[in-house]
Amino acid sequence: MPRADLIVNLVRAGTQGDQRTFRSTVEAIAAEERAKRHTQLADRLEENLRQPAPSAKAAEVVRSFDGGHGGLLYEVEPRRGLTSMFLDIAVATPVRELVEEQQRAELLRSYGVEPRHRVLLEGPPGNGKTTLAEGIAFELMVPLFVVRYEAVVGSFLGETSGRLKRLFDFARTHQCVLFFDEFDTLGKERGDTHETGEIKRVVSSLLLQIDSLPSHVVVVTATNHAELLDRAVWRRFQLRLNLPAPTPAQRAAWFERFEETLGVPLGLSPKTLATRLPVQTFSDLEQFCEDVHRRYVLALPGADLKRILTERLSQWKERVGPTAADRP
């Protein structure tokens, strides 16, 4: 919404005592100022918005991100961009389009169109769902807020829905990426006869909150069990992406990059390593290379990288079993 319209709405809401419109307008102005890196002004606006009205109880606003004192979120500083990931074209293209839409949101809004901002990621664990959420936040230069389920899910009737509302109330005042890992924890199928009425109410509350999020909040959800999600969850998301296990070509490209990072020949070709290493996830690839890197550094200055790689391959084969290439 143009700044002039926001100011008009603010004055109208103030004179008419419309607290709901007043709060949403101030939240929109604060988010706009934060997007411009006017963080002090945005903080002051939000701080004053949290002041209690006369004879009213102060609203509880979640500010703890470090996992302590009952905070519903914790903040992760994005350190890895999309270029650090090995993404299929079917994933990389729509994600980069979403980033472009967010970066050029004002142009879209001038034509009456909002950028996409709801993403559902599915696939086996260890293949980059969390890293992709971090990559989106990195590209947009915004904080990544991760939901803490142990703080959100309560044991009393209505407690979880109330905490979810507070969580979303906080998120909508920031330009950010809001990440729900293991989304099936909250978004379970409401038709499941084994679930209680409370879970069904939580899912309904969650869907309503997602629908009401402004487009400057990019909500990314991830699940290893897409079949458990409520059917109504799927249509809430404008991007529904599958992150599969790494292909042989991606594994080889991973080792090519690792060789460039070390700055010395590996002694074995990336293709050979990709074939002989018995792993099926990007997470395991990363751990293997970190393992090799540690042993290489500790063996300097006379490190034999080929020998180190051979030893590590033997250890990892014992850990997860032989590859198809090693079987007779």
Side-chain angles (χ1 to χ4, degrees):
M1 183 181 294
R3 173 55 67 91
D5 291 341
L6 287 174
I7 295 174
V8 170
N9 283 352
L10 187 65
V11 173
R12 182 186 300 118
T15 56
Q16 296 179 357
D18 185 348
Q19 286 295 313
R20 182 174 181 179
T21 301
F22 179 82
R23 290 185 63 85
S24 63
T25 304
V26 175
E27 288 169 355
I29 293 174
E32 182 180 305
E33 294 301 323
R34 195 174 295 281
K36 296 176 181 178
R37 299 295 185 266
H38 299 162
T39 56
Q40 290 187 349
L41 176 55
D43 287 342
R44 290 175 61 188
L45 286 170
E46 292 165 7
E47 182 180 352
N48 281 276
L49 193 61
R50 292 195 296 272
Q51 296 300 317
S55 303
K57 183 179 179 181
E60 181 178 356
V61 177
V62 180
R63 296 297 299 186
S64 175
F65 307 114
D66 59 3
H69 309 294
L72 303 182
L73 303 166
Y74 63 89
E75 183 175 356
V76 175
E77 181 182 352
R79 296 181 181 273
R80 294 186 287 185
L82 297 177
T83 56
S84 69
M85 302 185 67
F86 292 86
L87 298 172
D88 289 338
I89 190 68
V91 175
T93 298
V95 168
R96 293 192 180 281
E97 289 175 350
L98 177 140
V99 169
E100 181 189 14
E101 291 170 16
Q102 286 289 326
Q103 291 172 336
R104 306 181 70 187
E106 291 305 318
L107 174 62
L108 290 175
R109 291 180 183 123
S110 70
Y111 284 85
V113 182
E114 290 292 327
R116 287 176 292 182
H117 65 109
R118 297 191 294 271
V119 184
L120 174 62
L121 306 176
E122 61 170 316
N127 285 312
K129 296 187 291 295
T130 301
T131 305
L132 184 53
E134 180 184 355
I136 293 173
F138 181 90
E139 300 295 337
L140 295 176
M141 295 186 292
V142 300
L144 172 64
F145 294 149
V146 181
V147 177
R148 296 180 58 238
Y149 290 124
E150 70 274 18
V152 170
V153 178
S155 57
F156 297 104
L157 186 66
E159 193 173 39
T160 301
S161 296
R163 291 175 180 176
L164 276 174
K165 182 180 184 303
R166 296 201 302 274
L167 183 157
F168 280 100
D169 284 346
F170 172 82
R172 64 170 47 92
T173 65
H174 292 70
Q175 186 176 10
C176 63
V177 172
L178 179 63
F179 182 55
F180 289 82
D181 197 6
E182 299 181 5
F183 190 56
D184 45 278
T185 301
L186 292 177
K188 291 183 178 180
E189 170 61 58
R190 284 172 290 185
D192 188 343
T193 56
H194 298 289
E195 293 298 348
T196 65
E198 171 68 359
I199 287 294
K200 296 177 182 179
R201 284 188 289 271
V202 167
V203 175
S204 298
S205 174
L206 177 64
L207 297 181
L208 288 173
Q209 293 291 346
I210 289 175
D211 284 342
S212 67
L213 275 178
S215 60
H216 62 257
V217 177
V218 179
V219 58
V220 179
T221 62
T223 179
N224 304 329
H225 302 285
E227 70 280 0
L228 298 180
L229 292 177
D230 189 272
R231 285 167 290 181
V233 168
W234 290 91
R235 65 183 180 84
R236 256 67 183 192
F237 294 92
Q238 299 137 326
L239 290 183
R240 297 182 288 273
L241 306 174
N242 179 267
L243 274 67
T247 64
Q250 288 173 327
R251 293 202 297 270
W254 185 285
F255 285 113
E256 289 174 2
R257 179 178 290 182
F258 181 53
E259 188 172 51
E260 293 174 1
T261 300
L262 290 181
V264 294
L266 295 178
L268 296 171
S269 73
K271 186 175 181 180
T272 298
L273 284 168
T275 302
R276 292 178 58 184
L277 181 64
V279 300
Q280 298 298 323
T281 69
F282 284 105
S283 177
D284 281 342
L285 279 171
E286 185 173 38
Q287 289 184 41
F288 176 83
C289 290
E290 288 177 350
D291 190 13
V292 171
H293 199 172
R294 277 190 293 267
R295 303 317 306 171
Y296 173 72
V297 170
L298 293 173
L300 290 173
D304 184 340
L305 189 53
K306 182 177 180 179
R307 181 180 61 81
I308 292 172
L309 276 167
T310 302
E311 291 175 351
R312 296 296 110 177
L313 283 171
S314 296
Q315 289 187 10
W316 278 66
K317 284 177 182 177
E318 293 178 2
R319 169 177 157 179
V320 297
T323 63
D326 296 320
R327 300 187 186 105

